[in-house]
Amino acid sequence: MELFKHHSRKEIVNTFLYGGLDNKTYRKIKGRLYQRNIKNLRDIAFFLMIYDILYLMCTLSGLFSKHFIVPYSYLAVISIAYFLLSETSVFRHEKIGRIIYNCFICLFFLFSTLMGTKYSYSGLAVTFNVILVLLPFLFIDPPRYNIPLVISNVVIFIIFTSLYKSGKILFDDIFDATIFGLLAIYCNFVLTSKLIRQFAYEMTIENEKNFDGLTKVYTKELSEHLIAEALKKGYCGVLLIIDVDHFKTFNDSFGHIYGDEVLREVAASLRKNFRQEDIIGRFGGDEFIVFMKDATLENAKKKTDDFMNTLMDTFKEKSPVTCSIGMAEVKNVTTYKSLLKKADTALYYSKEHGRNQYHVFKNDA
């Protein structure tokens, strides 16, 4: 019990449930971990798919023995099935996706079980034991996900071994599977928790680099990069530049702390009213930028009206906060700079004609 000797019960529970993080921190990285694991299994499935197809072609041409044609055909089918599924939207729903993902891991384990028992009744099941230990390296998940997976597959392996082997080789396989299973559990507690904490740290550094510290929206650099990439890929949409009216007055009259609160509330209102797929960033000072991918001008106007109403409701008990907004539709535009120039022209028009309004770029703006 050396593993738990210097740790409190709370730390052990957190390690089991959240990989050594607290619940709040884990929830922030959970989605990214899930996507990473889905991608890793997809890459493995793609490699196995190519390998199995080549192996089966060589087998059918007489280069290899046909003894393993059934398990390799099975492996080819599940590899192709997972790879094709990973290209659909099924994994966007995390609960459903995790069930499918775990089922496929068990199906891959079943291949190694078959190879180490039914199709190798006179040899040790090396492949199965290697995969057991590699699991925490390939798929970073808290022990609550991986340990039940390890235990269930060890039990299935022991059942198959008992059916197809006997004598010393049976004892050796059960002993090895038990030892490697315990090693895999140990790795999940020790190694996986370290990997999850490292992942959380890297994600924190990435967030500090890509997100504005005050408003929690994208930085100007990342916003511009994402919008430019979207335009290169041929996305249509609408670009908005939002400028807080008379922001300097808030700082001068109420102090910089209140000014910071205004910026935070403006950003929160933008996140609340615009879509999750929209690119929202702080453009600098009291200016924000929003790019609505594949949105019509009417959609953009409706979302902007909702945003301005939310902002007025937020500050109705305090000094009113309003914004001037410039809009430009992706039409006859090929670069981010040209789209930005049009939106900036529309913003200037809004500010020059009374503020607290939005204006859409026109050739005569």
Side-chain angles (χ1 to χ4, degrees), residues 71 74-75 78 103-117 119 128 131 153 156-157 160:
Y74 162 80
L75 184 60
I78 60 173
C103 286
F104 270 96
I105 289 180
C106 288
L107 290 174
F108 285 117
F109 263 115
L110 183 58
F111 165 77
S112 65
T113 298
L114 289 170
M115 289 294 290
T117 55
Y119 292 92
F128 177 82
I131 292 176
N153 280 288
I156 292 170
F157 174 81
F160 270 77

Side-chain angles (χ1 to χ4, degrees), residues 56-75:
L56 291 172
M57 286 173 62
C58 291
T59 302
L60 293 173
S61 65
L63 293 174
F64 297 151
S65 167
K66 292 185 179 180
H67 179 67
F68 297 114
I69 194 167
V70 173
Y72 275 101
S73 297
Y74 162 80
L75 184 60

Side-chain angles (χ1 to χ4, degrees), residues 112 115-117 120-129 157 161 165 168-177 180:
S112 65
M115 289 294 290
T117 55
S120 181
Y121 48 82
S122 61
L124 293 173
V126 176
T127 304
F128 177 82
N129 294 326
F157 174 81
T161 302
K165 294 184 178 182
K168 187 176 184 302
I169 194 73
L170 170 62
F171 173 80
D172 288 343
D173 265 356
I174 292 177
F175 179 80
D176 288 348
F180 279 96

Side-chain angles (χ1 to χ4, degrees), residues 3-4 8 17 25-26 93 112 122 131 161 169 175 199 208 234 258 272 281 305 315 319 321-322 337 347:
L3 172 62
F4 307 115
S8 67
L17 295 177
T25 305
Y26 174 71
H93 308 283
S112 65
S122 61
I131 292 176
T161 302
I169 194 73
F175 179 80
F199 189 87
E208 288 176 356
Y258 184 75
K272 179 179 179 180
D305 284 330
F315 289 95
S319 180
V321 175
T322 61
K337 285 187 177 180
L347 172 64

Side-chain angles (χ1 to χ4, degrees), residues 227-358:
I227 296 169
E229 287 296 308
L231 292 174
K232 285 180 183 177
K233 291 176 181 178
Y235 280 100
C236 294
V238 180
L239 181 71
L240 297 84
I241 302 180
I242 300 103
D243 184 272
V244 181
D245 293 332
H246 307 295
F247 179 71
K248 189 174 182 299
T249 304
F250 294 113
N251 279 334
D252 294 343
S253 302
F254 304 104
H256 289 282
I257 293 177
Y258 184 75
D260 287 348
E261 182 187 344
V262 168
L263 293 176
R264 278 193 291 265
E265 289 297 340
V266 170
S269 298
L270 287 171
R271 288 196 302 269
K272 179 179 179 180
N273 289 284
F274 286 88
R275 305 169 304 175
Q276 189 173 1
E277 62 267 32
D278 295 333
I279 299 167
I280 303 173
R282 186 179 178 188
F283 203 55
D286 59 340
E287 284 190 336
F288 294 84
I289 192 167
V290 177
F291 182 64
M292 298 182 68
K293 291 192 288 188
D294 285 339
T296 64
L297 200 54
E298 291 307 312
N299 292 147
K301 287 179 179 179
K302 183 181 184 308
K303 293 291 184 183
T304 303
D305 284 330
D306 293 341
F307 158 70
M308 295 177 81
N309 290 332
T310 298
L311 204 58
M312 290 191 69
D313 289 341
T314 302
F315 289 95
K316 64 183 178 182
E317 303 294 332
K318 305 173 184 177
S319 180
V321 175
T322 61
C323 291
S324 299
I325 301 171
M327 290 187 199
E329 192 175 11
V330 179
K331 190 177 288 186
N332 301 321
V333 173
T334 56
T335 66
Y336 164 70
K337 285 187 177 180
S338 58
L339 184 64
L340 180 67
K341 185 176 180 181
K342 291 181 177 183
D344 198 43
T345 301
L347 172 64
Y348 182 77
Y349 185 95
S350 296
K351 294 170 78 170
E352 288 293 305
H353 290 77
R355 301 177 187 267
N356 189 24
Q357 60 180 292
Y358 60 82

